[in-house]
Amino acid sequence: MAALTGAGMSAESGVPTFRDAQTGLWAQFRAEELATEAAFRADPQRVWRWYQYRRELIAAVEPNAGHRALAWFGKRHSGRLTLVTQNVDGLHQRAGSGDAIALHGSILQDRWLDQPRACCDVRNIEPGAPPRCPVCGNLRRPDVVWFGEALPTRALAAADEAARSCDLMLVIGTSGMVYPAAGLAHVARRQGALVVVINPAETELDEMAHLCVRERAAQCLPWLLGASH
Ligand code: OAD
């Protein structure tokens, strides 16, 4: 069995979904316009602050019953579930799914924007928003996959393998709009797996799925996976 999760998975923990309207200071921007290398290079401070805001928000919330149910199932039925997530918030991992495949990286870490030189050393970064190498000026950036960037090769290969070999794929809390992640559901279906979408709203994957469960992840998963007792 495989599960592909998206931003809706963390919605009930209080993490806004990716395509929700942004709130407060960020209401004037669309997430899609901030999550690109071009946006970062054009205004590193602004994009870094947006990620800082999201990091603080994530640090203040907890995994919900849906994350916990998937982690419980993974432990209870060792080796039977491959969890693939588009989320960068680390909530699956905090719930106990340490082996979740993070297709879009992690917001909890950062890395160098440009190829690091000998002078680029994290022990010696110049603080700021974003921090930089004091010698060459190379910037730190969040270790997430931005629009237009390739997914981590090993994570994508492992996710693809899970999609090819599963008998059931749960597609949870994702709009199904972003590829290659959404393509995993098609791969699973072509290989003969049952595909079940769990989402309170319509998604781009509804038509290809065998079944759509119009429920919230935190409500549905404990019951569906037998983790509610
Ligand atoms: P979206 O924001 O596009 O979609 C969130 C989905 O969650 C929607 O379909 C909602 O209906 C659904 N949803 C909301 N609350 C829910 C709940 N309680 N239970 C279940 N579903 C719920 O987020 P993603 O599909 O994850 O990638 O977006 C995919 C990728 O787009 C993101 O990982 C991000 C962005 O590009 C990158 O930044 C690379």
Side-chain angles (χ1 to χ4, degrees):
M1 170 176 154
L4 170 66
T5 68
M9 184 78 228
S10 299
E12 284 157 90
S13 290
V15 182
T17 64
F18 206 80
R19 288 176 176 77
D20 264 348
Q22 300 219 66
T23 54
L25 278 179
W26 299 104
Q28 54 184 311
F29 301 104
R30 292 176 61 222
E32 287 96 326
E33 286 160 6
L34 294 164
T36 70
E37 184 183 331
F40 187 74
R41 287 192 187 276
D43 194 339
Q45 269 203 6
R46 181 167 73 198
V47 174
W48 184 264
R49 288 211 175 107
W50 181 59
Y51 278 99
Q52 282 303 95
Y53 154 78
R54 293 180 62 206
R55 282 169 167 162
E56 282 163 24
L57 195 147
I58 288 162
V61 303
E62 296 293 333
N64 62 50
H67 297 107
R68 290 197 300 273
L70 284 165
W72 175 87
F73 187 92
K75 288 199 180 94
R76 174 87 166 71
H77 305 280
S78 180
R80 283 200 35 211
L81 168 68
T82 306
L83 178 53
V84 181
T85 187
Q86 299 167 83
N87 298 344
V88 297
D89 56 32
L91 290 178
H92 280 305
Q93 291 81 354
R94 273 165 62 188
S97 299
D99 53 359
I101 298 171
L103 278 184
H104 292 168
S106 168
I107 198 172
L108 308 176
Q109 286 150 28
D110 49 55
R111 62 180 165 89
W112 295 107
L113 174 63
D114 292 315
Q115 190 67 26
R117 304 193 183 94
C119 54
C120 298
D121 184 344
V122 282
R123 290 167 303 181
N124 189 32
I125 47 177
E126 193 176 291
R132 62 171 66 233
C133 171
V135 180
C136 70
N138 199 357
L139 298 172
R140 302 290 290 170
R141 57 158 283 183
D143 193 8
V144 299
V145 175
W146 280 331
F147 285 103
E149 293 183 329
L151 271 58
T153 315
R154 281 170 57 182
L156 185 57
D160 190 62
E161 173 55 30
R164 280 177 199 286
S165 56
C166 67
D167 49 4
L168 166 66
M169 176 176 275
L170 303 178
V171 181
I172 308 160
T174 177
S175 55
M177 288 169 66
V178 174
Y179 284 76
L184 296 168
H186 294 276
V187 171
R189 165 106 207 196
R190 274 200 303 275
Q191 300 296 319
L194 189 73
V195 177
V196 177
V197 164
I198 298 171
N199 199 307
E202 291 182 2
T203 83
E204 299 281 314
L205 295 169
D206 290 359
E207 280 188 14
M208 59 74 64
H210 292 94
L211 179 67
C212 296
V213 181
R214 294 268 179 256
E215 283 197 49
R216 295 180 285 112
Q219 183 181 36
C220 172
L221 288 172
W223 161 80
L224 186 72
L225 299 173
S228 53
H229 42 269

